[in-house]
Amino acid sequence: MAAIDRPVPSGVNAAQFGSDVAADALRATGIDYIALNPGASYRGFHDSLVNYLGNAQPQMLLCLHEESAVAIAHGYAKVTGRAMAAAVHSNVGLMHATMAIFNAWCDRMPIVLLGATGPVDAVKRRPWIDWIHTASDQGALVRGYTKWDDQPATALAAREAILRAAWIANTSPCGPTYVNLDAGMQEAKLDAPVPPIDDARRLMPAVASAPDTGAIEKAAGLLHNAKQVVILAGRVSRSLEAWNARVALAERLNARVVTDIKTGASFPTDHPLHVGAPGFLSPTPDALAAMRAADVILSLDWIDVAGTLKQAGDVLTKVVQVSVDHHLHNGWSLDYQGLPPVDVFIASTPDATVPALIEALGPAGPRAVPAGQAAPFKPEGDKLTVDRLADTLRQTVGDRACTLTHVSLSWNGASWPFRHPLDYLGSDGGGGVGGGPGISVGAALALRGSGRLPVAVCGDGDFLMGVTALWTAAHYKIPLLIVIANNRSFFNDELHQERVARMRSRPIENRWVGQRISDPDIDLAAMARAQGATAFGPVSALGELPAVFAQAIAAVEAGGVAVVDVRVEPGYNAAMTAVMTPKIG
Ligand SMILES: Cc1ncc(C[n+]2csc(CCOP(=O)(O)OP(=O)(O)O)c2C)c(N)n1
Ligand SMILES: [Mg+2]
């Protein structure tokens, strides 16, 4: 990949302009890639990346839309837990990027976003264009869903801002940060050589958030005395060591474990202690029943503890909450959810807390782990449903190590077991449709060379909004398989229209109007091919799927991007349909 987009040597080896200093700072963060869509507001910085740093460390990833640039950085962080950079042009590029920034924010994923404005000094502004692309508080566009932003006035201030941005983004709770580089500052010649960065690591110190021992003891006491513990395994890292510790804790407590599709794999879903299948919009009825039967609930940074308790109804349990998320809550975004009742609050990350809990609990006598193993998934009927698609895909993937980088809204949590923290990366975070392709390209970039097969299942609506991210994968030779669960509709909203029609006693037959993406049907494979992918379909016959999936996987294993357009029956699985269209009255 390093061989792609090589500039001719420029012979420049010392910083000469403000933007050279900013580029040096970005290199000092250790970030390897910067996804971007270009623009004159940061032409100085762009030049520094190419002609001063030689387009290496970081290497540019050209994107066709700012939304995919940010989504790629988001997907990369989902795998690595570390920030990648993305650069977007002035106010307009930032406006394009906003939804993807919001998705990353809600997903608590780090990104170092660089932007530009100005020249802030009006005297230096070119007529018209520089004026429309200068805003006096550009960071305000994204301040509600970034952890921190700055508009440094000088080269040295930009250096500090970039190091700080990386430090803050990568510190739990993680999230995007934004540095807005004044065009005037970027293009100004340095008056004097700037001293080198002494030791960047000291400016981005690791922030440990060790759990408070008193809180650990209290929690361990509650857990020790509990008859039945339920663990809600939420926002956790992709670390295998932390995964094993969670399994050890659950087994130590004989706790039932609930997971969901909003967050990445957090516990083996076919472990006997895992309750049923992961839920999506709502915990499954089994999970809610387990919560009602529990006397202690241990939330490992579960998204929406308050809402989940509410759904469970009469829960008479003690609640232990492990989270640092409150550091991020602000007055703009209500993604923090309801205020949960908590008996012991451990202000730390699940990764740091679980081993401390195990230690505080001490050794235990052998406790029987329930023998019941989840029955293997069996899709119903013989139609080409999303369940059939999932089952056939999984069988074709076979024993390969595989990462689901994204799943469609129609996904059934029961259809694909997770046995490793990298088996599934979680949802888009903010419910912003269109993130699936870009997030998957970024995840696939991070997984390159890991031996894992990156596979995304996207809705057709999601795919269509984000399709041009595929060109970036094709150009930079990032292997990835995208399977489209193509119901030729923004189907999720058909269910909403059905629900409204039921509430109002109006014809539910009309639910498709303004939702169906047909007449003409869109040739999704052609759109993928146009980006440089190998594409298959539309496939409408179930019998053809295994062979097509096998060919697509072969194309990915040969280093390519492959897309399969699967025409699925419109409709969600029973559990999802029940949540979305509850009986009226
Ligand atoms: C940016 C954005 N626009 C609109 C929506 C509303 N919305 C939620 S789900 C959905 C349909 C998505 O369609 P598709 O990806 O094909 O999935 P399907 O529901 O058909 O399974 C829409 C439009 C949204 N969440 N985000
Ligand atoms: Mg659809």
Side-chain angles (χ1 to χ4, degrees):
M1 187 165 158
I4 300 169
D5 298 346
R6 296 309 333 133
V8 297
S10 66
V12 180
N13 50 23
Q16 296 168 335
F17 299 91
S19 60
D20 291 344
V21 177
D24 266 334
L26 187 59
R27 177 175 278 177
T29 65
I31 287 173
D32 288 327
Y33 302 106
I34 179 165
L36 57 80
N37 187 266
S41 62
Y42 72 86
R43 63 187 189 183
F45 184 64
H46 195 118
D47 170 71
S48 298
L49 292 174
V50 175
N51 288 318
Y52 175 52
L53 297 189
N55 194 22
Q57 294 175 291
Q59 180 174 4
M60 289 178 176
L61 300 180
L62 178 59
C63 299
L64 305 188
H65 196 293
E66 287 82 357
E67 203 170 278
S68 51
V70 176
I72 286 171
H74 178 182
Y76 182 88
K78 272 171 155 321
V79 174
T80 62
R82 307 292 298 169
M84 208 184 106
V88 297
H89 165 57
S90 74
N91 47 3
V92 284
L94 188 60
M95 287 172 192
H96 256 187
T98 47
M99 187 199 80
I101 301 170
F102 180 70
N103 273 346
W105 162 267
C106 293
D107 204 21
R108 305 296 185 250
M109 287 298 155
I111 296 175
V112 173
L113 259 174
L114 294 156
T117 192
V120 170
D121 180 357
V123 176
K124 298 207 176 86
R125 252 172 245 158
R126 293 173 293 162
W128 184 63
I129 188 74
D130 275 350
W131 287 78
I132 56 174
H133 286 172
T134 302
S136 54
D137 185 10
Q138 198 159 281
L141 271 173
V142 294
R143 196 161 295 136
Y145 43 100
T146 47
K147 277 186 82 180
W148 176 80
D149 70 279
D150 192 16
Q151 186 179 311
T154 64
L156 281 177
R159 171 202 277 184
E160 182 167 316
I162 288 169
L163 291 165
R164 192 193 300 269
W167 178 57
I168 292 179
N170 285 323
T171 298
S172 291
C174 297
T177 52
Y178 175 63
V179 180
N180 184 17
L181 303 170
D182 169 15
M185 180 281 294
Q186 293 173 56
E187 297 189 21
K189 224 171 170 355
L190 298 175
D191 298 333
V194 295
I197 300 169
D198 199 20
D199 184 350
R201 283 169 309 176
R202 295 183 66 211
L203 298 169
M204 300 181 290
V207 181
S209 53
D212 170 67
T213 46
I216 287 286
E217 269 165 35
K218 255 187 170 168
L222 277 182
L223 294 168
H224 180 78
N225 293 326
K227 286 195 201 66
Q228 182 61 63
V229 176
V230 164
I231 298 176
L232 303 176
R235 288 176 173 132
V236 296
S237 77
R238 299 303 97 215
S239 149
L240 185 58
E241 198 187 337
W243 168 279
N244 290 335
R246 281 190 297 279
V247 174
L249 178 65
E251 290 178 357
R252 167 71 182 74
L253 295 167
N254 207 16
R256 316 288 319 276
V257 183
V258 176
T259 65
D260 83 357
I261 292 290
K262 291 196 273 296
T263 49
S266 54
F267 196 83
T269 55
D270 53 3
H271 188 288
L273 289 171
H274 189 273
V275 185
F280 200 160
L281 288 184
S282 157
T284 61
D286 286 351
L288 296 174
M291 287 173 67
R292 281 191 292 271
D295 49 354
V296 176
I297 288 176
L298 170 63
S299 154
L300 298 179
D301 207 9
W302 181 256
I303 296 176
D304 196 10
V305 174
T308 301
L309 290 173
K310 204 166 166 181
Q311 278 165 309
D314 283 330
V315 179
L316 299 169
T317 55
K318 298 278 183 199
V319 176
V320 179
Q321 166 73 315
V322 181
S323 181
V324 287
D325 206 55
H326 51 286
H327 289 302
L328 216 64
H329 301 172
N330 66 38
W332 186 86
S333 177
L334 307 192
D335 70 286
Y336 49 68
Q337 312 290 328
L339 187 63
V342 169
D343 299 283
V344 182
F345 192 98
I346 303 177
S348 181
T349 59
D351 280 21
T353 301
V354 168
L357 283 175
I358 293 174
E359 202 186 316
L361 283 162
R367 274 176 98 161
V369 167
Q373 189 94 29
F377 179 65
K378 260 200 144 141
E380 287 168 6
D382 51 9
K383 295 207 163 129
L384 211 180
T385 57
V386 177
D387 280 0
R388 281 276 171 201
L389 176 161
D391 195 50
T392 311
L393 181 59
R394 196 164 68 86
Q395 286 179 30
T396 316
V397 165
D399 292 338
R400 291 175 180 87
C402 171
T403 296
L404 283 181
T405 59
H406 183 77
V407 296
S408 60
L409 284 163
S410 48
W411 194 253
N412 178 355
S415 63
W416 196 294
F418 305 139
R419 297 173 181 142
H420 184 282
L422 282 173
D423 280 356
Y424 173 58
L425 301 180
S427 77
D428 49 54
V433 171
I439 287 171
S440 298
V441 172
L445 167 67
L447 289 168
R448 246 164 54 120
S450 69
R452 283 190 157 259
L453 177 74
V455 177
V457 179
C458 296
D460 49 326
D462 184 37
F463 179 81
L464 283 163
M465 287 193 200
V467 61
T468 59
L470 265 63
W471 177 84
T472 302
H475 180 75
Y476 295 98
K477 309 208 180 323
I478 301 167
L480 168 66
L481 171 61
I482 295 188
V483 176
I484 308 163
N486 180 7
N487 51 21
R488 285 173 289 165
S489 174
F490 290 107
F491 183 76
N492 183 78
D493 289 282
E494 288 198 38
L495 291 185
H496 282 293
Q497 295 320 125
E498 175 178 331
R499 185 172 180 170
V500 172
R502 279 187 203 283
M503 289 191 293
R504 298 178 176 181
S505 302
R506 292 176 182 178
I508 60 167
E509 293 82 349
N510 292 334
R511 71 178 196 183
W512 62 273
V513 177
Q515 311 278 0
R516 286 279 162 93
I517 313 171
S518 62
D519 196 14
D521 287 344
I522 301 178
D523 188 344
L524 301 181
M527 292 185 79
R529 244 171 251 128
Q531 317 295 318
T534 307
F536 305 83
V539 182
S540 307
L542 186 55
E544 288 170 21
L545 264 192
V548 174
F549 281 155
Q551 277 178 278
I553 290 170
V556 176
E557 288 181 333
V561 179
V563 172
V564 185
D565 173 5
V566 184
R567 290 271 172 91
V568 293
E569 292 285 320
Y572 286 170
N573 62 74
M576 184 73 129
T577 309
V579 172
M580 292 193 61
T581 52
K583 298 247 171 334
I584 310 295

